[in-house]
Amino acid sequence: MSDQTLGAGPKRIDGRLKVTGKAPYAADHALDNTAYGYGVFSTISRGRIVSLELDAARAMPGVIEIFHHGNFPALHHTPSSMAKGNKVEETRLPFEDEQVYYDGQFVALVVAERFDQARAAARAVKVRYEEEIPRANLEQGVKAHGTKKGKGNHSRGDADGAFERGAHQIDVTYTTPVETHNPMEMHSTLAHWPDGRLQVFESSQGVVQQKGAMAKIFNLAPHKVEVISTFIGSGFGSKLWMWPHAVAAAAASREIKRPVELVVPRQQMFTTTGHRPETKQTLKLATDDQGRLIALSHHSVSTTSYTDQYVETCGSVTKSLYSCDNVSITHRTTEVNRGTPTSMRAPGAAPGLFALESAIDEMALEAGIDPLTFRLDQFAERDESQDLPFSSNHIKETAERAAEQFGWHQRNPTVGSMRDGREIVGYGMAACNWEAIKRPCDAHVALRADGTVYASCATQDIGTGTYTIVAQTLVELTGVPFERIEVELGDTSYPKGPISGGSWTTATTLPAIAEATRHAIDELKTRAVRSGGPFEGVDVEALTFDNGVLSFDGKRMPFAEALSTMKLANAEGEAHTEGADTSKYSYRSFGTHFVEVRWDPLLANLRVARVVSAIDVGRVMNEKTARNQVEGAVVMGIGMAMFERTEYDPRTARVVNNNYAEYLVPVHADQPEVDVILLDYPDTAFNEFGARGIGEIGITGLAAAVANAVYHATGVRVRELPITKEALMGAV
Amino acid sequence: MQSFELIRPESVKDAIGAQSERSAFIGGGTTLVDLMKLGVMQPDHVVDTNRLGLDEIEALDDGRLKIGARVSNSRLAIDARVERDYPVLSQALLSGASTGLRNMATTAGNVMQRTRCPYFRDPAKPCNKREPGTGCSAMDGINRNHAVLGTSEHCIATHPSDMCVAMAAIGATVVVEGRKGTREIPFEDFHLLPGDHPEREHDLRSDELITHVVLDAPLEGAVSTYLKLRDRASYEFALASCAAIVTLEGTKVTAARIALGGVATKPWRAVDAEAALVGEEATAKMFEQVALLAFQRAMPLEHNAFKVELGQQAIARALRDAVQQASQGEHQ
């Protein structure tokens, strides 16, 4: 059974359901009499709807109703508070007015008997617009109306003054494009109103937040809303907060008094369900004559929509990764005609560390110091932005171990000097970093008379393995094996759990599950020593529970038998655990990537040949799923470095490459050998299990490591992602 | 998707009879169904070719190979005669799309494959190919993937096929059947340049159906290679590709076939480069020289200028790789 406890690497308990097609995803749920919605989406990016011609569409087979700004029911805005559990990213409701703010915005919704009928009729709706010239990208937005202050700014010392005094200086600007999450499973909603209650099946990373937002928008008491998301085909952040389609489906269902299913087409997954915004980041670094960092400025502008301000906090890591007395971090935004951006795997840090870790490389080279040495000498010992110690920080060990494994010390630092046949080899490295957060959480656990253990929590498993590590926690505390464990997640009828985001699900959920388990065991013991119980009269403190068995003074009884003896169905425990105490420590995760690239100058072909990543995320709860998270994030980081870019036509602000063929992510053939080293030092100051979370850190820094390796191979410093052939052609 | 009538004829004659101005033949459907779902193609009648036979690969007495219209890309790629006599075709097929798509895609369907120009694929955007006279959105838009050869002021869309590039190099005949009988169209004449009419993509009359593609007899003693350059390693259309077939006498080139994909509006024979290479020494320097000739008339735009150099690299490397086989004794 030890292979199922925490820290071991058991397979996912839901793996078989998934690979056999038996795991029901949102749109797989079937309700009697379901009608199907299909959107009519704006084909302009800025302007207003003048008229909608609906007659032809209305006359088509199966059409039940067509909703638009002229007939959509009046609803309410959610205050959009994460703390209150009702956050959305785009506060404007669908069909709220005739305004168009972005390409692919819902302008009408056709509801029909069948999906194909709804789609055909949606195509038959003719929309006339009064079109204005859109702001199609960051540059156009800044030119039109400048920038606005964002959040997360930080300043200490005098960065500008220190920069001027620097012996070595760099002043460079990096850009990153819009990236789109592109989870395999489409955003989908199946909504219905049984007995005046709203029940929604959604592909969601945050059922509790969606429930709260729905309650506000439809003016319902919270208990009248249930959101269910038992299996999710990934989200990468795009499913953290509810998007307009879910409101449209729920409202349409209420109006036509039938269940309505609405799946967002792939093309509109690029427009109306969030994206990582475009960024422009200026880094000014200076060292003294010894190569010590004395100034560090990181000023970024990111794009947001005209309806909401989303801030990509590119400098979130910059303020604490390196020791430096003079630091200035600012975030600003500019509005463009795109849908509202949202968190995408390691928001802020992913584009931010591309810039920072590229700039550190440039700074090290400028100062004539090996990039690894430069970093090892200057990684911060404590969080200087908060003046707090780190709870646990082994970044130097990650760098040293990964460097050793990778063979960094065999590197010839001269640009273009390492060749292998037709290819030029480049070595690059970068640090990775992500915050560790633990939020409040509720959980329920029951020891049941049939010998099974049950746990529930309204968090989600977005494919990362949450079901499995909850089960492992139960194994650890009760000794009951997987075969007799049942875990239910992803339904707001369970105790309140966190969003599956910020890499905080593990650190937040497991302590609550553990606490509830202990309460259930206490309940079992309390009952067992009472009159009529199997351990009647025994001091409850002296009764032990070990491997599913109660024992005292040689008498042993499995908990199932004890419950049966007492004619009890179960012994239950509830728990509420609080967020981490952030007054004593700064909690962060650390790591280092080493990347080998190969550049074939005669074919203009760049590939990543090898990656070694060492990661310090506290204790590893499941060796298999943890490694899988880092490997996946590294591959996604390769995509960020070399392929991903949502292209907008600069004249129309419309998305051009809105499909899997033209929006490139790595395929298997692009995946190199990825060697992941997991340090596994428990961070017990953070929570009882010492786990910090591992979903996001792997993508941070990877693009910089690739860019640094590309520089080493080619001598071309690429400051604009993705790194394309054309950026390197003509080099070496 | 608009409603349509599916017609399932049992003979080529019935299939031709069922064809009209508002119909489309369907083979594997990997292009047509996609474009129907996008609303780009809206046929009233879809004529299914899957009951017509036309799935044989037959060696002809004159040394040519006759490929049925419905032979799948997967099957054609691993056919023993293709692997032996036309390895460049096998390589081209296997570099295209994904296994699942190749299993569905047919030979005739691939010849008829339509462009991946994103402006063509979005009915809300102007496109001369989709709606003649509306203008070309790509010309001043995002045109990184577009053509630099064979373009006109009305259209710069690439032909996306890999298979056709190999066929253009090998030399082939497209056999079509219509109400007036059978026609044989030389492969290089089948696809049309966009010119003033980018909506006309091929020399196929509205009642005609492709029944076969016949490959020319292989060049005696030739060596060949297909090289495809793209951003990622698989499942992407070519940014530049080259099918090269060469015969040598000693170190001199006696015949050369060079065809290009990803850079042109149709499967593109680089005839100037071929002519310049014949009779010359097979050296890397010579390959680089003839590669320049292939792009003499290139018309690069804002985002695709790199394709000129990339295409040249593809030619030079494909020729080198092919000739290297000759020196290693690996004749096709």
Side-chain angles (χ1 to χ4, degrees), chain A residues 43 119-120 123 267 422 600-604 643 645 647-651 654-656 659-662 664-665 667 669-670 724-726 729, chain B residues 1-2 37-39 116 118-119 122 124-125 137 140-142 144 227 229-236 239 306 309-310 313 317 320-321 324:
Chain A
T43 55
R119 182 170 62 181
R123 293 264 162 74
Q267 291 95 320
R422 288 167 170 171
D600 183 339
L602 295 178
L603 281 184
F643 306 128
R645 170 169 57 189
E647 309 227 44
Y648 296 81
D649 191 297
R651 301 160 298 186
R654 301 200 58 212
V655 181
V656 174
N659 59 71
Y660 265 164
E662 269 98 9
L664 302 182
V665 297
V667 295
D670 295 302
T724 58
K725 291 179 190 303
E726 50 267 45
M729 287 170 76
Chain B
M1 198 188 289
Q2 306 297 319
K37 290 201 289 193
L38 292 171
R116 290 294 303 196
Y119 299 100
D122 183 347
K125 291 167 182 154
S137 299
D140 298 315
I142 304 290
R144 180 174 185 262
L227 178 65
L229 306 181
R230 43 186 159 182
D231 292 307
R232 66 180 171 191
S234 175
Y235 191 48
E236 188 188 0
L239 288 169
F306 74 101
E309 191 186 335
L310 195 69
Q313 291 184 332
R317 178 68 70 90
R320 262 175 71 171
D321 287 353
Q324 203 157 27

Coordinates of all heavy atoms in Angstrom, one line a residue, chain A residues 43 119-120 123 267 422 600-604 643 645 647-651 654-656 659-662 664-665 667 669-670 724-726 729, chain B residues 1-2 37-39 116 118-119 122 124-125 137 140-142 144 227 229-236 239 306 309-310 313 317 320-321 324:
Chain A
T43 N -18.1 40.2 -36.6 CA -17.1 40.1 -37.7 C -16.4 41.5 -37.8 O -15.6 41.7 -38.7 CB -17.6 39.7 -39.0 OG1 -18.7 40.6 -39.3 CG2 -18.2 38.3 -39.0
R119 N -26.5 25.9 -35.8 CA -25.3 26.5 -36.5 C -25.7 27.0 -37.9 O -25.3 28.1 -38.3 CB -24.2 25.4 -36.6 CG -23.0 25.9 -37.3 CD -21.8 25.0 -37.2 NE -22.1 23.7 -37.9 CZ -21.3 22.7 -38.0 NH1 -20.1 22.8 -37.4 NH2 -21.6 21.6 -38.6
A120 N -26.5 26.2 -38.6 CA -27.0 26.7 -39.9 C -27.7 28.0 -39.8 O -27.5 28.9 -40.6 CB -27.8 25.6 -40.6
R123 N -25.6 31.0 -39.1 CA -24.9 31.5 -40.3 C -25.8 32.4 -41.2 O -25.4 33.2 -42.0 CB -24.4 30.3 -41.1 CG -23.3 29.5 -40.5 CD -21.9 30.0 -41.0 NE -20.9 29.5 -40.1 CZ -20.4 28.3 -40.0 NH1 -21.0 27.3 -40.7 NH2 -19.5 28.0 -39.1
Q267 N -12.8 28.6 -33.1 CA -12.5 29.9 -33.6 C -12.7 31.0 -32.5 O -11.9 31.9 -32.3 CB -13.3 30.3 -34.8 CG -12.9 29.6 -36.1 CD -13.9 28.4 -36.3 OE1 -14.2 27.7 -35.3 NE2 -14.3 28.1 -37.5
R422 N 26.2 19.4 -39.2 CA 25.7 20.7 -39.8 C 25.1 21.6 -38.8 O 24.7 22.7 -39.1 CB 24.6 20.3 -40.8 CG 25.2 19.7 -42.1 CD 24.0 19.1 -42.8 NE 24.4 18.7 -44.2 CZ 23.7 17.9 -45.0 NH1 22.5 17.6 -44.7 NH2 24.2 17.6 -46.2
D600 N 20.5 24.7 -37.5 CA 21.1 24.3 -38.7 C 21.0 25.6 -39.7 O 20.0 25.9 -40.2 CB 20.3 23.2 -39.3 CG 20.9 22.7 -40.6 OD1 21.7 23.4 -41.3 OD2 20.7 21.5 -41.0
P601 N 22.1 26.3 -39.8 CA 22.0 27.5 -40.6 C 21.7 27.4 -42.0 O 21.1 28.2 -42.6 CB 23.4 28.1 -40.4 CG 24.3 27.0 -40.0 CD 23.5 26.0 -39.3
L602 N 22.0 26.2 -42.6 CA 21.7 26.0 -44.0 C 20.3 25.5 -44.3 O 19.9 25.4 -45.4 CB 22.7 25.0 -44.6 CG 24.2 25.5 -44.6 CD1 25.1 24.4 -45.2 CD2 24.3 26.8 -45.4
L603 N 19.6 25.3 -43.2 CA 18.1 24.9 -43.4 C 17.3 25.9 -42.6 O 16.1 25.7 -42.5 CB 17.9 23.5 -42.9 CG 18.2 22.4 -43.8 CD1 17.8 21.0 -43.2 CD2 17.6 22.6 -45.2
A604 N 17.9 26.8 -41.9 CA 17.2 27.7 -41.0 C 16.3 27.0 -40.1 O 15.1 27.3 -39.9 CB 16.3 28.7 -41.8
F643 N 6.8 28.9 -31.0 CA 5.7 28.8 -31.9 C 4.5 29.7 -31.7 O 3.9 30.2 -32.6 CB 5.2 27.3 -31.8 CG 6.2 26.3 -32.1 CD1 6.4 25.2 -31.2 CD2 7.0 26.3 -33.2 CE1 7.4 24.3 -31.5 CE2 8.0 25.4 -33.5 CZ 8.2 24.3 -32.6
R645 N 1.7 32.3 -31.1 CA 1.5 33.7 -31.4 C 0.1 33.8 -32.0 O -0.2 33.3 -33.1 CB 2.5 34.2 -32.3 CG 2.2 35.7 -32.9 CD 3.3 36.3 -33.6 NE 3.8 35.5 -34.7 CZ 4.9 35.7 -35.4 NH1 5.7 36.7 -35.1 NH2 5.2 34.9 -36.4
E647 N -2.3 35.8 -34.0 CA -2.1 36.9 -35.0 C -3.4 37.6 -35.2 O -4.4 37.0 -35.5 CB -1.6 36.3 -36.3 CG -0.4 35.4 -36.1 CD 0.7 35.7 -37.1 OE1 1.0 36.8 -37.2 OE2 1.2 34.7 -37.7
Y648 N -3.3 38.9 -35.1 CA -4.4 39.8 -35.4 C -4.1 40.6 -36.6 O -3.0 41.2 -36.7 CB -4.7 40.8 -34.2 CG -5.0 40.0 -32.9 CD1 -4.1 39.5 -32.1 CD2 -6.4 39.9 -32.5 CE1 -4.4 38.8 -30.9 CE2 -6.7 39.3 -31.4 CZ -5.7 38.7 -30.6 OH -6.1 38.0 -29.4
D649 N -5.1 40.7 -37.5 CA -4.9 41.6 -38.7 C -4.7 43.0 -38.2 O -5.6 43.5 -37.4 CB -6.0 41.4 -39.6 CG -5.7 42.1 -41.0 OD1 -5.5 43.3 -41.0 OD2 -5.7 41.4 -42.0
P650 N -3.6 43.7 -38.5 CA -3.4 45.0 -38.0 C -4.5 46.0 -38.5 O -4.6 47.1 -37.9 CB -2.0 45.4 -38.5 CG -1.8 44.5 -39.7 CD -2.5 43.3 -39.4
R651 N -5.2 45.7 -39.5 CA -6.3 46.7 -40.0 C -7.6 46.4 -39.4 O -8.4 47.4 -39.2 CB -6.4 46.5 -41.5 CG -5.1 46.7 -42.3 CD -5.2 46.0 -43.7 NE -5.3 44.6 -43.6 CZ -5.3 43.7 -44.6 NH1 -5.1 44.2 -45.8 NH2 -5.4 42.4 -44.4
R654 N -8.9 41.5 -36.3 CA -9.5 40.2 -36.2 C -8.4 39.1 -36.2 O -7.4 39.2 -36.8 CB -10.4 40.0 -37.5 CG -11.5 41.1 -37.5 CD -12.6 40.6 -38.5 NE -13.2 39.4 -38.0 CZ -13.7 38.5 -38.8 NH1 -13.7 38.7 -40.1 NH2 -14.2 37.4 -38.3
V655 N -8.8 38.0 -35.5 CA -7.8 36.9 -35.3 C -7.6 36.2 -36.7 O -8.6 35.9 -37.4 CB -8.2 35.9 -34.3 CG1 -7.2 34.8 -34.1 CG2 -8.4 36.6 -32.9
V656 N -6.4 35.9 -37.1 CA -6.1 35.3 -38.4 C -5.9 33.8 -38.2 O -6.5 33.0 -39.0 CB -4.9 36.0 -39.0 CG1 -4.5 35.2 -40.3 CG2 -5.2 37.4 -39.3
N659 N -7.1 28.4 -35.4 CA -7.3 27.0 -35.4 C -6.0 26.2 -35.1 O -4.9 26.8 -35.0 CB -7.8 26.5 -36.8 CG -6.8 26.9 -37.9 OD1 -5.8 26.3 -38.0 ND2 -7.2 27.9 -38.7
Y660 N -6.1 24.9 -34.8 CA -5.0 24.1 -34.4 C -3.9 23.9 -35.5 O -2.8 23.5 -35.2 CB -5.5 22.7 -33.9 CG -5.7 22.6 -32.5 CD1 -6.5 21.6 -31.9 CD2 -5.2 23.5 -31.6 CE1 -6.7 21.4 -30.6 CE2 -5.4 23.4 -30.2 CZ -6.1 22.3 -29.7 OH -6.4 22.2 -28.4
A661 N -4.3 24.1 -36.8 CA -3.3 23.9 -37.8 C -2.4 25.1 -37.9 O -1.2 25.0 -38.2 CB -4.0 23.7 -39.2
E662 N -2.9 26.3 -37.7 CA -2.1 27.5 -37.9 C -1.7 28.2 -36.6 O -0.7 29.0 -36.6 CB -2.9 28.6 -38.7 CG -2.5 28.4 -40.2 CD -3.6 27.6 -41.0 OE1 -4.7 27.3 -40.4 OE2 -3.3 27.3 -42.1
L664 N 0.3 27.4 -33.7 CA 1.3 26.3 -33.5 C 1.6 26.1 -32.1 O 1.9 27.0 -31.4 CB 2.5 26.5 -34.3 CG 2.4 26.7 -35.8 CD1 3.8 26.9 -36.4 CD2 1.7 25.6 -36.5
V665 N 1.4 24.8 -31.7 CA 2.0 24.4 -30.4 C 2.9 23.2 -30.7 O 2.8 22.6 -31.8 CB 0.9 24.0 -29.4 CG1 0.0 25.2 -29.1 CG2 0.0 22.8 -29.9
V667 N 4.3 19.6 -31.3 CA 3.8 18.3 -31.5 C 4.9 17.3 -30.9 O 5.9 17.8 -30.5 CB 3.6 18.0 -33.0 CG1 2.5 18.8 -33.6 CG2 4.9 18.2 -33.8
A669 N 6.9 15.4 -32.1 CA 8.2 15.4 -32.8 C 9.1 16.6 -32.3 O 10.3 16.6 -32.5 CB 8.1 15.4 -34.3
D670 N 8.5 17.6 -31.7 CA 9.2 18.8 -31.2 C 9.7 18.6 -29.8 O 10.4 19.4 -29.3 CB 8.3 20.0 -31.3 CG 7.9 20.4 -32.7 OD1 8.9 20.7 -33.5 OD2 6.7 20.5 -33.0
T724 N 11.5 33.0 -34.4 CA 11.2 32.5 -35.7 C 12.4 32.3 -36.5 O 13.5 32.8 -36.2 CB 10.3 33.5 -36.5 OG1 11.0 34.7 -36.6 CG2 9.0 33.7 -35.7
K725 N 12.3 31.5 -37.6 CA 13.4 31.3 -38.5 C 13.9 32.6 -39.0 O 15.1 32.8 -39.1 CB 12.9 30.5 -39.7 CG 12.5 29.1 -39.5 CD 12.0 28.5 -40.8 CE 11.4 27.1 -40.6 NZ 12.3 26.2 -39.9
E726 N 13.0 33.5 -39.4 CA 13.4 34.7 -40.0 C 14.2 35.6 -39.1 O 15.0 36.4 -39.6 CB 12.2 35.4 -40.7 CG 11.0 35.7 -39.8 CD 9.9 34.6 -39.9 OE1 10.3 33.4 -39.9 OE2 8.7 34.9 -40.0
M729 N 17.7 33.9 -39.5 CA 18.3 33.8 -40.8 C 19.4 34.9 -41.1 O 19.1 36.0 -40.7 CB 17.3 33.7 -41.9 CG 16.5 32.4 -41.9 SD 15.1 32.4 -42.9 CE 15.8 32.1 -44.5
Chain B
M1 N -23.0 24.7 -41.0 CA -23.1 24.0 -42.3 C -24.5 24.1 -42.9 O -25.5 23.9 -42.2 CB -22.7 22.5 -42.0 CG -22.2 21.8 -43.3 SD -22.0 20.0 -43.0 CE -20.5 20.0 -42.1
Q2 N -24.5 24.3 -44.2 CA -25.9 24.4 -44.8 C -26.3 22.9 -45.1 O -25.5 22.0 -45.2 CB -25.8 25.1 -46.2 CG -25.2 26.5 -46.1 CD -26.0 27.4 -45.2 OE1 -27.3 27.4 -45.3 NE2 -25.4 28.2 -44.4
K37 N -18.0 23.3 -43.0 CA -18.3 23.7 -41.6 C -18.0 25.1 -41.4 O -18.6 25.8 -40.6 CB -17.5 22.8 -40.6 CG -18.0 21.4 -40.6 CD -17.7 20.6 -39.4 CE -16.2 20.3 -39.2 NZ -16.0 19.3 -38.2
L38 N -16.9 25.6 -42.1 CA -16.6 27.0 -42.0 C -17.5 27.9 -42.8 O -17.4 29.1 -42.7 CB -15.1 27.3 -42.4 CG -14.1 26.7 -41.5 CD1 -12.7 26.8 -42.2 CD2 -14.0 27.3 -40.2
G39 N -18.3 27.3 -43.7 CA -19.2 28.1 -44.5 C -18.5 28.7 -45.8 O -19.0 29.5 -46.5
R116 N -4.7 27.0 -47.6 CA -4.9 27.3 -46.2 C -4.9 28.8 -45.9 O -4.8 29.2 -44.8 CB -3.8 26.6 -45.4 CG -3.9 25.1 -45.3 CD -5.1 24.6 -44.6 NE -5.2 25.1 -43.2 CZ -6.0 24.5 -42.3 NH1 -6.8 23.5 -42.7 NH2 -6.2 25.0 -41.1
P118 N -5.7 32.0 -44.6 CA -6.7 32.2 -43.5 C -7.8 33.2 -44.0 O -8.9 33.1 -43.4 CB -5.9 32.8 -42.3 CG -4.7 33.3 -42.9 CD -4.4 32.5 -44.1
Y119 N -7.5 34.0 -44.9 CA -8.5 35.0 -45.4 C -9.5 34.3 -46.3 O -10.7 34.6 -46.3 CB -7.9 36.2 -46.1 CG -7.0 36.9 -45.2 CD1 -5.6 36.8 -45.2 CD2 -7.5 37.8 -44.2 CE1 -4.8 37.5 -44.3 CE2 -6.7 38.5 -43.4 CZ -5.3 38.4 -43.4 OH -4.5 39.1 -42.6
D122 N -12.2 32.4 -44.1 CA -13.1 33.1 -43.2 C -14.1 33.9 -44.1 O -13.7 34.9 -44.7 CB -12.3 34.1 -42.4 CG -13.2 34.9 -41.4 OD1 -14.5 34.8 -41.6 OD2 -12.7 35.5 -40.5
A124 N -16.1 36.0 -43.7 CA -16.4 37.4 -43.4 C -15.3 38.3 -43.9 O -15.3 39.6 -43.8 CB -16.5 37.6 -41.9
K125 N -14.2 37.8 -44.5 CA -13.1 38.6 -45.0 C -13.1 38.6 -46.5 O -13.4 37.6 -47.1 CB -11.8 38.0 -44.5 CG -11.6 38.2 -42.9 CD -10.5 37.3 -42.4 CE -10.4 37.5 -40.8 NZ -9.8 36.3 -40.2
S137 N -7.3 40.1 -49.1 CA -6.9 40.6 -47.7 C -5.5 40.3 -47.3 O -4.9 40.9 -46.5 CB -7.9 39.9 -46.7 OG -9.2 40.2 -46.9
D140 N -1.9 42.8 -48.0 CA -1.4 43.8 -47.1 C -1.7 43.3 -45.6 O -1.7 44.1 -44.7 CB -2.1 45.2 -47.3 CG -1.7 45.7 -48.6 OD1 -0.5 45.7 -49.0 OD2 -2.7 46.2 -49.3
G141 N -2.0 42.0 -45.5 CA -2.3 41.5 -44.2 C -1.2 40.7 -43.6 O 0.0 40.9 -43.9
I142 N -1.6 39.7 -42.8 CA -0.7 38.7 -42.3 C -0.4 37.7 -43.4 O -1.1 36.8 -43.6 CB -1.3 38.0 -41.0 CG1 -1.7 39.0 -40.0 CG2 -0.2 37.0 -40.5 CD1 -0.6 39.8 -39.3
R144 N 2.7 35.9 -43.9 CA 3.9 35.1 -43.6 C 3.9 33.7 -44.4 O 4.9 33.3 -44.8 CB 4.1 34.9 -42.1 CG 5.3 34.1 -41.8 CD 5.6 34.0 -40.3 NE 6.8 33.3 -40.0 CZ 6.9 32.0 -39.6 NH1 5.8 31.3 -39.5 NH2 8.1 31.5 -39.4
L227 N 12.3 17.4 -49.3 CA 12.7 18.1 -48.1 C 11.6 19.2 -47.8 O 11.3 20.0 -48.6 CB 14.0 18.8 -48.3 CG 14.6 19.7 -47.1 CD1 14.9 18.8 -45.9 CD2 15.8 20.4 -47.6
L229 N 10.5 22.2 -45.1 CA 10.9 23.1 -44.0 C 9.7 23.8 -43.5 O 8.8 24.3 -44.2 CB 11.9 24.1 -44.5 CG 13.1 23.6 -45.2 CD1 14.1 24.7 -45.7 CD2 13.9 22.6 -44.3
R230 N 9.6 23.8 -42.1 CA 8.4 24.4 -41.5 C 8.8 24.8 -40.1 O 10.0 24.6 -39.7 CB 7.3 23.4 -41.4 CG 7.7 22.0 -41.1 CD 6.6 21.0 -41.2 NE 7.1 19.6 -41.4 CZ 6.3 18.6 -41.5 NH1 5.0 18.7 -41.6 NH2 6.8 17.4 -41.6
D231 N 7.9 25.4 -39.3 CA 8.3 25.9 -38.0 C 8.4 24.8 -37.0 O 9.4 24.7 -36.3 CB 7.2 26.9 -37.5 CG 7.2 28.2 -38.2 OD1 8.2 28.8 -38.4 OD2 6.1 28.5 -38.8
R232 N 7.4 23.9 -37.0 CA 7.5 22.8 -36.1 C 7.8 21.5 -36.9 O 7.8 21.5 -38.1 CB 6.3 22.6 -35.2 CG 5.0 22.3 -36.0 CD 3.8 22.2 -35.0 NE 2.6 22.1 -35.7 CZ 1.4 22.2 -35.1 NH1 1.3 22.4 -33.9 NH2 0.3 22.1 -35.9
A233 N 8.1 20.4 -36.1 CA 8.7 19.2 -36.8 C 7.7 18.4 -37.5 O 8.1 17.5 -38.4 CB 9.4 18.4 -35.7
S234 N 6.4 18.6 -37.3 CA 5.4 17.7 -37.9 C 4.1 18.4 -37.9 O 3.9 19.4 -37.2 CB 5.3 16.4 -37.2 OG 4.3 15.6 -37.7
Y235 N 3.1 17.9 -38.7 CA 1.8 18.4 -38.7 C 1.7 20.0 -38.9 O 1.2 20.7 -38.2 CB 1.0 18.1 -37.4 CG -0.5 18.3 -37.5 CD1 -1.2 17.9 -38.6 CD2 -1.1 19.0 -36.5 CE1 -2.6 18.2 -38.7 CE2 -2.5 19.3 -36.6 CZ -3.2 18.9 -37.7 OH -4.5 19.1 -37.7
E236 N 2.4 20.4 -40.0 CA 2.3 21.8 -40.4 C 2.5 21.8 -41.9 O 3.3 21.1 -42.5 CB 3.4 22.6 -39.7 CG 3.2 24.1 -39.9 CD 4.4 24.9 -39.3 OE1 5.3 24.3 -38.8 OE2 4.4 26.1 -39.5
L239 N 6.6 25.8 -45.1 CA 7.0 27.1 -45.4 C 7.7 27.1 -46.7 O 7.6 28.0 -47.5 CB 7.8 27.7 -44.3 CG 7.1 28.0 -43.0 CD1 8.1 28.3 -41.9 CD2 6.1 29.1 -43.1
F306 N 11.4 36.1 -46.1 CA 12.3 35.1 -45.8 C 12.1 33.8 -46.6 O 13.0 32.9 -46.6 CB 12.2 34.7 -44.3 CG 11.0 33.9 -43.9 CD1 11.0 32.6 -43.7 CD2 9.7 34.6 -43.8 CE1 9.9 31.8 -43.4 CE2 8.6 33.8 -43.5 CZ 8.7 32.5 -43.3
E309 N 14.9 33.1 -49.4 CA 16.1 32.4 -48.9 C 15.8 31.0 -48.4 O 16.6 30.1 -48.7 CB 16.7 33.2 -47.8 CG 18.1 32.8 -47.5 CD 18.7 33.5 -46.2 OE1 18.3 34.6 -45.9 OE2 19.6 32.9 -45.6
L310 N 14.7 30.8 -47.7 CA 14.4 29.5 -47.2 C 14.2 28.5 -48.4 O 14.6 27.4 -48.3 CB 13.1 29.6 -46.4 CG 12.8 28.4 -45.5 CD1 13.9 28.3 -44.4 CD2 11.4 28.5 -44.9
Q313 N 17.4 27.6 -49.8 CA 18.1 26.6 -48.9 C 17.5 25.2 -49.2 O 18.2 24.2 -49.2 CB 17.9 27.0 -47.5 CG 18.7 28.3 -47.1 CD 18.6 28.6 -45.6 OE1 17.6 28.2 -45.0 NE2 19.6 29.2 -45.1
R317 N 19.8 22.1 -50.3 CA 19.9 21.0 -49.4 C 19.3 19.7 -50.0 O 19.9 18.6 -49.9 CB 19.4 21.3 -48.1 CG 19.4 20.1 -47.1 CD 20.9 19.8 -46.6 NE 21.4 20.8 -45.8 CZ 21.4 20.8 -44.4 NH1 20.7 19.9 -43.8 NH2 21.9 21.8 -43.8
R320 N 21.7 18.4 -52.6 CA 22.8 17.8 -51.9 C 22.5 16.4 -51.3 O 23.2 15.5 -51.4 CB 23.3 18.7 -50.8 CG 24.5 19.6 -51.2 CD 24.8 20.5 -50.1 NE 25.5 19.9 -48.9 CZ 26.0 20.6 -47.9 NH1 26.0 21.9 -47.9 NH2 26.5 20.0 -46.9
D321 N 21.3 16.4 -50.6 CA 20.9 15.1 -50.0 C 20.7 14.0 -51.0 O 21.1 12.9 -50.8 CB 19.6 15.3 -49.2 CG 19.9 16.1 -47.9 OD1 21.1 16.4 -47.6 OD2 18.9 16.5 -47.2
Q324 N 24.1 13.0 -52.5 CA 24.8 12.2 -51.4 C 24.4 10.7 -51.5 O 25.2 9.8 -51.3 CB 24.5 12.8 -50.1 CG 25.6 12.5 -49.1 CD 25.5 13.5 -47.9 OE1 24.5 14.1 -47.6 NE2 26.7 13.7 -47.3

